[in-house]
Amino acid sequence: MSGGRAADRGPDGPSVLPDETAALVDAARRDRASADDRFAAASEIAPRLGAHPIRPDGADPATDPPEGVAFGFWTPDLVADGVPAEDVRLEVFTPVDDGGDGFAVDPGREDLREVSFRIDRLPTERDGEFHWVAVEGLPVGTADRLGALYQLVAPEPDGDGSYRTVRDPLARSLPFGAFAPAEAYDWPRLDATRPDRDHFAALGTDEESVPTDEDDGFPRVEPATSMLEVHPGTSTESGSLRALAARFREVGDKLERGEPLDPHERNYAGYDAVQLMPVEPLTQAYGRQWYWRPGGAEGAADGPPLNRDADAETATVGVKRPDQRNWGYDVVVSGFGAANPALLETGRPDELVEFIAACHAMPDPIRVVFDVALGHADEAAAELLPDPFFEGPGMYGLHLDYRQPVVRAILLELHRRKANFGADGIRVDGAQDFTYHDEETGEQVHDDAFLDALDGVVHEVAGTGYRPWMIFEDGRPWPREDWELASTYRTLIDRHPHAFQWSPVTFAHNKPALLTFWATKWWRMREVGEFGSRWITGVANHDTLRRGSQVEVTDDWSGELINPYLAADPRGTIREAYDSPAALVWFHVAMPGVPMDFLHANHRAPWGFVRDTDPTWNVKVVAEEAPWIDWHVPEGALADADGTGDAFPRLRALGFETRADLKSVATTLSDLVDATDYDVDLIAELLSAMGTPMDAEEAGNGLDADDLQRFSFAWSGDVSEYLTLDRWADEQDGARTAFDRAVREFRQARPWLRDDVDPDRGEAFGYRHPTEGTVVYEACRRAPDGDETLLVACNTEGTPVEVSPAAVLADLGAERAGGLGDDASGEWTVALAPPDLGVEPGDSAGSTASVTLETADAVVWRRTE
């Protein structure tokens, strides 16, 4: 090291590097002195916050181990509370025995076990609101070993002997969750050894992604042709990114070898982008989800008091890999730049890079899009972040203070660190939620300048700087009452010409299982056709399918609004609604933009609101999901014919033996939540009086609020397992999955379909009217060179109807549809047809040859010039 003599230390323990520590302080002071304002200074300082391995100049991070670690923390609360600088120390946890392989504390293990740690406490240097220290002699994490865990500790200024801990919100690795110490991780080594370095080196070398002045000379990743949304936690039995990477590799290997895909594997094919639902560390359910327990496995959540007056000690800690079952949006912001350890089979952040590399290695490379949720923070974030992070309470917990200069800089740095895992694209969740309070008007104002800054962040992966494909979910003026009518869904793409937004038919309120959905949504569909080339389209995603299964079903299942033409029962109806040949063909062939499908919808598997992280509101969450039982749970699901079914084991253990039992309690619970204004104690009392299967388990003692909590967490665990796609792999219909794949590959072969429908080249779209009981969507798309014309007919809802090329052209107006005019009567070829339609792809069809479309059927004809 270049830093002179280290401070005294115990045997084999870490020690402070004085010169390197002083250099950290000096750098921060120089940044503040030279900056124009506080935000500019914080923007220079933020990249150095967190834990950074120290290497000599010229060292190769792929082969040369670090010689120390530099730590930086923003600590305004410690300063505001008058905590003396000399009382703030870095607390480092190092396993006492590494077992000879450096990995005795396997962070991927799901069992709660006891580990002996050596704990060292080292002095830090304060500079303004920051604390800095450089340390040598501690292990740094890699794919093969757990690094030292760290946090700041300081005595409370009231002198009662208690200590506070300060977590690192900019951590690269949180193997035991956001509420545990962070891991000193060798990020430069991970970046230097990633297997997809060539993917990033190639950015900006093709004609489509050359650097532009708009992007300051950096290449901007081009948008995809079509995209698949994936929830990693329920996509495989293990729920890990490693297992998901293996699935994509298996599909890719078969495609490379020209081998046929299994029916369920086809659900992954035909896309050039995958959007992962959020992979950030999550909140935890207090008193229940604890993965770091000082004092051992049986210790209290905060553990017995450690001897924090000592410079070093040894203590036992209970550890466990987090296992939250959650859809991913309950983020605490702290640790946002790390990967959610609940998704890491090995407990190593390398798994996220491994998944991205598997996508990039597909025969036709797949872009990876991250879904980032920085528009809110769970209430528990207040335990992890300094007070200046928060403006106050918000719709989803806590509202972040985006205009606080240091907060703003740190949020942008967190965004950069997460994307530096290798994201090709970023989807900004709830962009309309990035607001601030205007003191003059008293209103919340959209902070578009912050969104501009997000869009402008330069990411560097494997030595290549670039900007990702940006996607914004933005429904402003939501939550204004008239938002659905007033929203243009174009505010941010007008502001950023390269960006995309979610379209009006993609938002959560769209429910294609309802009768007249396709008829009443035509006004929005027309917008998609006319100027949707930079919209994400499609009706199957995590929000729409969840909202669809929250629609109440009547006793005769049909309901006043549910489409009776789709199927004979609710379960078949919702599966057909979100995996409809008509919708698939419409969005992948007729409409511009980037169509997005949802992997659970592709599998025709159940999907719901997975969220077991909030014991305060968990009972209410279950109550709101009561209709989900009608939509997704068939008779006999709680026990098969011999009573040994493996579905819903936790609920069966609570006494639920039939679907009717479960529906009765969930529906009553829903009614009582409203009637009691969510008084959980009163709800439990009233449920006891009515009688439930749980009463027998309680031996007549009656239910209390704790019993309802047990019920809600049993629900969350069972539903999460019930959603797992591996459970539904053998139920895939080979003919349907083959058709769906063919439609997607048809789109991939015609990227020009992403352009707006262009009347000037003879393109048109519309619907047949009068409808006469059937809503038939129709379109004509024509290749830019005029060599290919496509005709599309989709029976989106209603009675069977006959269609033909001539009828479609007549409906659209032959003189403007395809520019065919008097020559419209020629021969056509069937390009796409779902199973059992009576025609096959490749069949010749005269212009008057008719096809009968049942509800949800579609056909595409093709003609070459």
Side-chain angles (χ1 to χ4, degrees):
M1 296 296 298
S2 61
R5 189 179 71 84
D8 293 338
R9 57 173 176 155
D12 301 321
S15 59
V16 173
L17 292 163
D19 288 0
E20 281 76 2
T21 301
L24 292 171
V25 173
D26 290 344
R29 289 175 178 169
R30 286 195 303 272
D31 288 336
R32 288 201 304 278
S34 62
D36 293 335
D37 55 36
R38 193 179 180 197
F39 172 67
S43 298
E44 294 295 323
I45 293 171
R48 297 196 296 275
L49 297 176
H52 300 270
I54 300 172
R55 287 183 171 88
D57 292 341
D60 182 356
T63 56
D64 298 330
E67 298 182 353
V69 179
F71 296 92
F73 294 81
W74 183 46
T75 54
D77 292 353
L78 293 179
V79 176
D81 292 344
V83 177
E86 60 271 17
D87 287 350
V88 181
R89 296 195 288 175
L90 181 74
E91 188 170 62
V92 179
F93 296 80
T94 308
V96 170
D97 181 6
D98 68 2
D101 60 5
F103 217 4
V105 189
D106 181 354
R109 284 176 53 181
E110 296 181 347
D111 59 310
L112 185 61
R113 69 264 184 211
E114 295 186 343
V115 175
S116 181
F117 285 93
R118 172 189 169 117
I119 306 173
D120 292 274
R121 300 179 182 92
L122 304 170
T124 63
E125 292 292 329
R126 178 178 292 175
D127 173 51
E129 292 183 328
F130 298 91
H131 280 85
W132 306 93
V133 64
V135 179
E136 68 173 349
L138 49 76
V140 180
T142 65
D144 303 316
R145 71 178 295 173
L146 181 74
L149 306 174
Y150 66 92
Q151 60 192 6
L152 289 184
V153 295
E156 293 290 0
D158 57 12
D160 66 354
S162 62
Y163 277 75
R164 70 172 70 179
T165 59
V166 177
R167 312 291 190 196
D168 179 11
L170 290 108
R172 292 287 196 179
S173 176
L174 291 165
F176 305 112
F179 295 80
E183 178 188 8
Y185 197 80
D186 197 345
W187 179 263
R189 183 180 188 276
L190 174 57
D191 183 63
T193 58
R194 61 183 304 141
D196 57 351
R197 296 178 61 81
D198 289 347
H199 171 88
F200 295 96
L203 291 178
T205 61
D206 58 21
E207 294 181 359
E208 292 185 343
S209 61
V210 295
T212 64
D213 292 339
E214 176 193 351
D215 287 308
D216 305 314
F218 290 98
R220 171 79 70 172
V221 176
E222 285 295 298
T225 301
S226 63
M227 184 159 58
L228 177 67
E229 185 183 32
V230 176
H231 180 249
T234 55
S235 294
T236 63
E237 185 174 357
S238 69
S240 71
L241 290 166
R242 167 159 286 187
L244 193 59
R247 179 69 45 82
F248 274 86
R249 276 197 299 270
E250 184 176 1
V251 171
D253 289 346
K254 285 187 174 182
L255 291 173
E256 187 73 33
R257 296 191 298 265
E259 296 179 6
L261 299 179
D262 293 338
H264 76 95
E265 292 173 326
R266 296 185 189 125
N267 293 324
Y268 299 83
Y271 300 98
D272 57 352
V274 168
Q275 178 182 300
L276 290 178
M277 289 175 66
V279 291
E280 282 74 61
L282 300 172
T283 189
Q284 295 175 187
Y286 312 117
R288 183 176 182 276
Q289 294 175 333
W290 289 102
Y291 312 108
W292 173 265
R293 296 189 177 188
E298 302 302 322
D302 56 357
L306 299 173
N307 183 18
R308 283 186 162 133
D309 292 330
D311 293 335
E313 63 176 311
T314 299
T316 298
V317 180
V319 298
K320 178 184 178 183
R321 171 186 153 198
D323 61 355
Q324 297 107 322
R325 293 174 171 87
N326 192 285
W327 65 335
Y329 295 93
D330 297 313
V331 301
V332 287
V333 176
S334 183
F336 193 90
N340 179 4
L343 302 176
L344 304 178
E345 186 175 320
T346 61
R348 305 287 76 204
D350 303 65
E351 285 189 37
L352 183 50
V353 170
E354 180 183 342
F355 169 76
I356 294 170
C359 290
H360 290 164
M362 295 286 282
D364 294 313
I366 292 177
R367 301 165 177 83
V368 177
V369 176
F370 284 177
D371 189 348
V372 300
L374 280 173
H376 64 277
D378 184 88
E379 291 180 357
E383 301 178 27
L384 301 171
L385 296 170
D387 288 346
F389 261 89
F390 309 108
E391 184 181 76
M395 185 172 294
Y396 304 109
L398 295 172
H399 192 82
L400 298 170
D401 189 349
Y402 300 100
R403 297 213 300 171
Q404 207 285 345
V406 185
V407 171
R408 195 179 188 91
I410 289 176
L411 291 175
L412 291 170
E413 175 63 14
L414 288 172
H415 171 77
R416 185 185 70 85
R417 292 191 188 190
K418 175 50 61 70
N420 281 6
F421 271 96
D424 302 287
I426 296 293
R427 183 255 187 185
V428 180
D429 176 67
Q432 71 276 338
D433 298 328
F434 292 78
T435 63
Y436 62 87
H437 181 74
D438 188 313
E439 294 184 357
E440 291 186 4
T441 65
E443 296 179 350
Q444 289 296 114
V445 179
H446 293 287
D447 194 346
D448 287 332
F450 181 77
L451 296 177
D452 293 348
L454 277 182
D455 178 79
V457 172
V458 175
H459 305 287
E460 184 171 339
V461 179
T464 298
Y466 70 98
R467 285 185 172 135
W469 174 33
M470 292 296 293
I471 303 168
F472 296 97
E473 181 201 26
D474 189 286
R476 69 182 73 181
W478 189 93
R480 204 174 78 191
E481 191 169 328
D482 67 340
W483 75 274
E484 188 175 354
L485 180 67
S487 179
T488 67
Y489 304 89
R490 298 187 60 80
T491 302
L492 293 170
I493 53 178
D494 287 343
R495 192 177 179 99
H496 301 287
H498 53 266
F500 276 57
Q501 282 190 221
W502 272 31
S503 78
V505 296
T506 304
F507 269 65
H509 57 282
N510 290 290
K511 304 176 181 70
L514 301 185
L515 191 64
T516 76
F517 169 82
W518 294 97
T520 57
K521 286 296 180 184
W522 176 254
W523 67 289
R524 284 303 197 185
M525 207 67 66
R526 188 175 68 182
E527 293 175 339
V528 175
E530 291 177 348
F531 46 81
S533 61
R534 286 182 19 243
W535 271 345
I536 304 299
T537 62
V539 293
N541 60 63
H542 73 277
D543 263 337
T544 54
L545 186 50
R546 172 176 68 100
R547 292 296 190 189
S549 61
Q550 289 179 335
V551 173
E552 188 172 354
V553 178
T554 58
D555 289 339
D556 65 356
W557 86 261
S558 60
E560 182 180 357
L561 296 176
I562 296 172
N563 189 343
Y565 298 104
L566 288 170
D569 57 58
R571 189 161 174 253
T573 295
I574 203 162
R575 289 179 170 201
E576 187 74 5
Y578 290 94
D579 179 38
S580 157
L584 187 73
V585 166
W586 184 250
F587 290 115
H588 281 262
V589 182
M591 288 290 95
V594 174
M596 184 179 74
D597 303 324
F598 185 37
L599 187 57
H600 275 73
N602 286 10
H603 277 71
R604 297 193 152 203
W607 171 254
F609 192 19
V610 184
R611 189 170 184 263
D612 70 345
T613 53
D614 190 343
T616 301
W617 298 105
N618 218 40
V619 175
K620 188 173 187 293
V621 167
V622 174
E624 291 175 348
E625 291 291 289
W628 182 88
I629 300 168
D630 287 312
W631 289 111
H632 293 297
V633 182
E635 293 291 345
L638 271 70
D640 60 18
D642 61 4
T644 60
D646 65 346
F648 305 102
R650 299 166 185 82
L651 290 169
R652 286 191 282 119
L654 292 179
F656 293 93
E657 298 179 352
T658 67
R659 177 182 179 275
D661 288 341
L662 184 59
K663 180 182 176 182
S664 175
V665 170
T667 303
T668 303
L669 186 64
S670 179
D671 294 336
L672 292 176
V673 164
D674 293 333
T676 66
D677 195 26
Y678 196 53
D679 184 330
V680 182
D681 292 315
L682 180 56
I683 292 172
E685 183 180 341
L686 293 173
L687 274 176
S688 288
M690 297 175 187
T692 74
M694 292 184 288
D695 290 313
E697 294 295 311
E698 293 299 308
N701 294 327
L703 302 178
D704 58 22
D706 289 341
D707 294 316
L708 295 186
Q709 289 291 349
R710 289 197 298 127
F711 170 72
S712 67
F713 283 115
W715 169 286
S716 296
D718 283 351
V719 167
S720 178
E721 292 177 0
Y722 193 65
L723 304 182
T724 301
L725 293 181
D726 286 353
R727 174 183 288 274
W728 307 96
D730 294 337
E731 295 192 14
Q732 303 304 294
D733 181 278
R736 277 299 302 272
T737 58
F739 167 74
D740 291 354
R741 175 188 174 188
V743 173
R744 298 190 295 264
E745 292 181 342
F746 191 86
R747 175 78 171 210
Q748 288 292 320
R750 295 163 178 82
W752 54 267
L753 288 171
R754 198 175 67 200
D755 298 338
D756 292 334
V757 177
D758 185 358
D760 290 340
R761 69 175 188 230
E763 295 187 310
F765 67 97
Y767 71 98
R768 179 176 297 184
H769 55 278
T771 60
E772 297 179 339
T774 304
V775 182
V776 181
Y777 279 13
E778 298 168 320
C780 175
R781 299 299 308 269
R782 200 174 194 194
D785 58 10
D787 288 347
E788 181 182 44
T789 302
L790 307 174
L791 292 182
V792 179
C794 305
N795 182 352
T796 57
E797 58 185 330
T799 57
V801 64
E802 288 191 359
V803 296
S804 67
V808 171
L809 288 168
D811 290 339
L812 296 175
E815 72 281 358
R816 62 187 176 87
L820 300 176
D822 294 338
D823 196 29
S825 61
E827 289 293 314
W828 295 82
T829 300
V830 175
L832 294 168
D836 304 322
L837 192 64
V839 295
E840 299 287 338
D843 288 353
S844 295
S847 63
T848 59
S850 64
V851 177
T852 299
L853 299 182
E854 303 282 345
T855 294
D857 273 344
V859 63
V860 177
W861 295 282
R862 175 175 177 264
R863 178 173 173 174
T864 57
E865 306 302 325

